[in-house]
Amino acid sequence: MHVPMQMPPPPAEPKSWLLPIALGVLVAFAAVLAPLWSADAQEAGAEPAPAMVTLSVTSTPEGAEIRLDGEVVGQTPLEVEVEAERVFDLEARLEGHQLVERTETAPVEGAELSIALEPFGHQLRLEAVPDGAEVRVDDEVQTGTTMDLGVLTEPVDLVVTLDGHQTFERSIAPAEFTLAENRHEFTLAVEMAPNRAPRTRAPRSVAAASEEPALVPTPPAPAPAAPAAPASPVPNNPF
């Protein structure tokens, strides 16, 4: 009987600890570099940051509040950083002056933006003006009782005249006006008294004159008597 010959098992491979260590190092290295690679990839695909320019803003008069796209950035004079070629809405506000609103485009390079602010005008309102009266302001005839006088820097002279009435005269200074929503206002009551009629004496009638008692002339008082002359002395008679 033939018995098959059994082959010995192959020798076992020696165990190595280097492979697991190497794999661990690779995994850790990949974990560290993965965020960097991702950031580089995002930067490569992102748009470059816009260029910034310095915009110098001044106003006449100074101290105006400046807003860009509704956001307050400061008071003039000021400098503000904006994106080059950016289109923005600009507002300039100053008490007692008209609001400035306009659309601007930032230049590629820094530039200066100057704003002129116009002051509010002055409005005069008169009350109790008699019908038919003539109103003059600085010798100019006015129409109506509400007058727009423009921008005042000096006092104005008001004169109101009417036949049969005393002339009303008044000097009005700009400081007497008060600031309203979009103008300076001043309200004045005009008082015009009628002229006084001159007093005249009515002539007396003949009858009234005849009823008066007649004046009797008073005789003149007699002249005082002259003093008597003193008697001369009588000489002694020897007989």
Side-chain angles (χ1 to χ4, degrees):
M1 179 177 180
H2 177 70
V3 179
M5 187 176 183
Q6 295 182 355
M7 298 294 295
E13 296 182 357
K15 296 181 178 181
S16 175
W17 299 97
L18 297 178
L19 183 59
I21 294 175
L23 292 176
V25 172
L26 290 176
V27 171
F29 187 72
V32 173
L33 294 181
L36 299 178
W37 291 334
S38 177
D40 293 340
Q42 291 179 0
E43 291 180 359
E47 296 181 358
M52 305 297 290
V53 296
T54 300
L55 186 64
S56 299
V57 185
T58 60
S59 69
T60 305
E62 297 181 348
E65 179 186 83
I66 302 299
R67 300 187 181 189
L68 300 183
D69 291 335
E71 180 181 356
V72 178
V73 296
Q75 294 183 342
T76 57
L78 61 86
E79 292 185 349
V80 59
E81 296 288 330
V82 296
E83 299 176 6
E85 300 183 341
R86 168 189 169 186
V87 179
F88 56 88
D89 294 327
L90 180 141
E91 296 181 10
R93 302 171 181 264
L94 183 63
E95 183 178 2
H97 294 73
Q98 299 179 15
L99 173 66
V100 174
E101 295 180 296
R102 63 195 192 195
T103 300
E104 296 285 344
T105 301
V108 178
E109 298 180 355
E112 181 176 340
L113 183 62
S114 181
I115 303 171
L117 297 167
E118 296 293 334
F120 289 146
H122 293 71
Q123 186 181 85
L124 174 63
R125 298 178 60 187
L126 300 181
E127 295 180 348
V129 178
D131 293 338
E134 181 184 75
V135 179
R136 289 177 176 266
V137 176
D138 286 345
D139 292 333
E140 292 186 6
V141 178
Q142 305 294 318
T143 303
T145 57
T146 300
M147 293 150 278
D148 292 322
L149 305 179
V151 179
L152 297 182
T153 58
E154 298 179 352
V156 294
D157 294 327
L158 171 68
V159 179
V160 184
T161 57
L162 179 64
D163 290 342
H165 291 73
Q166 298 179 10
T167 300
F168 180 88
E169 295 181 287
R170 174 79 147 75
S171 180
I172 306 173
E176 298 183 71
F177 290 76
T178 57
L179 180 61
E181 181 179 358
N182 57 359
R183 62 181 176 269
H184 299 277
E185 293 182 346
F186 181 67
T187 301
L188 178 65
V190 176
E191 298 179 359
M192 300 183 67
N195 292 330
R196 294 181 178 180
R199 294 182 178 181
T200 57
R201 298 182 63 181
R204 293 182 301 172
S205 62
V206 176
S210 63
E211 291 178 358
E212 294 182 357
L215 299 177
V216 179
T218 302
S232 58
V234 178
N236 293 331
N237 189 353
F239 300 100

